[in-house]
Amino acid sequence: GAVVSQHPSRVICKSGTSVKIECRSLDFQATTMFWYRQFPKQSLMLMATSNEGSKATYEQGVEKDKFLINHASLTLSTLTVTSAHPEDSSFYICSAPGQGVQLFFGSGTQLSVL
Amino acid sequence: SQQGEEDPQALSIQEGENATMNCSYKTSINNLQWYRQNSGRGLVHLILIRSNEREKHSGRLRVTLDTSKKSSSLLITASRAADTASYFCATGINQAGTALIFGKGTTLSVSS
């Protein structure tokens, strides 16, 4: 079946640094991918829609300059958390639609900002 | 606010018992999906039910959908310790139904 690979699975960084998270569709092309954030013991919140070859669409309240999204190819979307702060510590997860309405999720990235 | 609201927030049962989780949503939908998440890990798609369907089965899972009440339920029969996880309902907010709004989730604990 279709697989979405997300890397890294865990990252610890210092406050003020930037962190890049990659989301790859391994055996299918995805013109659209989605990024979610999940705080401990909470649900997933849609952050943005990543569009291949064009700008990402951000949900209300998500800072586009803080969370840079690039979707340069049909199989790769990246989320860069810029100038990370402890409050950005969260679980980030991406998804990509396969055929029809089925979605495939990455395994997530646990970001810890010290 | 989130599209889906689930109850209960937490559910603890013994192996062999059935577990029922409920989800309510606010707007009209094309379909509703249920996902499972083990602690700190990615999501596993369990089942999708379309708006014109009332009930769907998959193995030990049974999902119902009541569009008049804007609610859905997930029943896990004969639960196992391995079913311990968080379960989320989700509905799509874009035309393709691929941008999802998740409910708050139900944390299920099954003890042996």
Side-chain angles (χ1 to χ4, degrees):
Chain A
V3 175
V4 171
S5 173
Q6 189 171 339
H7 178 79
S9 59
R10 183 177 294 273
V11 58
I12 300 172
C13 69
K14 292 182 179 180
S15 186
T17 60
S18 295
V19 175
K20 180 185 283 188
I21 302 169
E22 294 187 347
C23 181
R24 292 180 186 273
S25 55
L26 294 186
D27 52 1
F28 66 104
Q29 294 182 335
T31 57
T32 304
M33 292 185 179
F34 303 93
W35 288 95
Y36 297 83
R37 179 170 55 182
Q38 183 180 32
F39 292 110
K41 299 189 185 302
Q42 294 190 23
S43 187
L44 289 85
M45 297 293 290
L46 179 65
M47 298 175 67
T49 301
S50 174
N51 303 300
E52 188 268 333
S54 64
K55 291 182 179 180
T57 306
Y58 291 83
E59 296 301 305
Q60 192 172 8
V62 178
E63 301 174 57
K64 61 180 181 181
D65 295 329
K66 173 76 171 176
F67 299 99
L68 299 180
I69 291 173
N70 184 277
H71 195 149
S73 77
L74 288 171
T75 59
L76 175 63
S77 173
T78 61
L79 168 68
T80 301
V81 183
T82 63
S83 185
H85 290 284
E87 58 265 30
D88 298 323
S89 298
S90 186
F91 187 68
Y92 294 86
I93 191 166
C94 66
S95 73
Q99 289 191 347
V101 297
Q102 189 164 8
L103 286 161
F104 300 96
F105 282 82
S107 55
T109 298
Q110 182 63 53
L111 171 63
S112 299
V113 184
L114 305 178
Chain B
S1 61
Q2 291 179 332
Q3 172 81 318
E5 299 286 334
E6 277 142 291
D7 75 88
Q9 290 188 357
L11 181 61
S12 295
I13 58 175
Q14 298 286 320
E15 267 193 325
E17 294 181 338
N18 296 341
T20 300
M21 291 160 262
N22 303 297
C23 166
S24 61
Y25 56 92
K26 297 179 181 177
T27 62
S28 59
I29 60 171
N30 291 323
N31 62 70
L32 184 143
Q33 305 177 45
W34 284 90
Y35 287 86
R36 167 199 168 116
Q37 183 183 38
N38 288 352
S39 179
R41 305 191 66 175
L43 293 172
V44 174
H45 178 264
L46 294 176
I47 197 165
L48 180 151
I49 186 166
R50 300 185 187 279
S51 59
N52 61 353
E53 298 176 307
R54 292 296 168 259
E55 187 172 309
K56 200 164 184 178
H57 296 255
S58 177
R60 293 185 294 113
L61 305 180
R62 171 177 169 253
V63 168
T64 63
L65 179 64
D66 187 334
T67 53
S68 66
K69 295 181 179 178
K70 291 187 167 58
S71 66
S72 174
S73 68
L74 170 67
L75 168 67
I76 303 174
T77 60
S79 63
R80 306 167 182 168
D83 294 329
T84 296
S86 292
Y87 293 82
F88 297 91
C89 68
T91 56
I93 59 169
N94 59 344
Q95 190 170 13
T98 50
L100 299 181
I101 295 295
F102 286 85
K104 291 182 178 179
T106 295
T107 299
L108 174 65
S109 298
V110 182
S111 41
S112 53

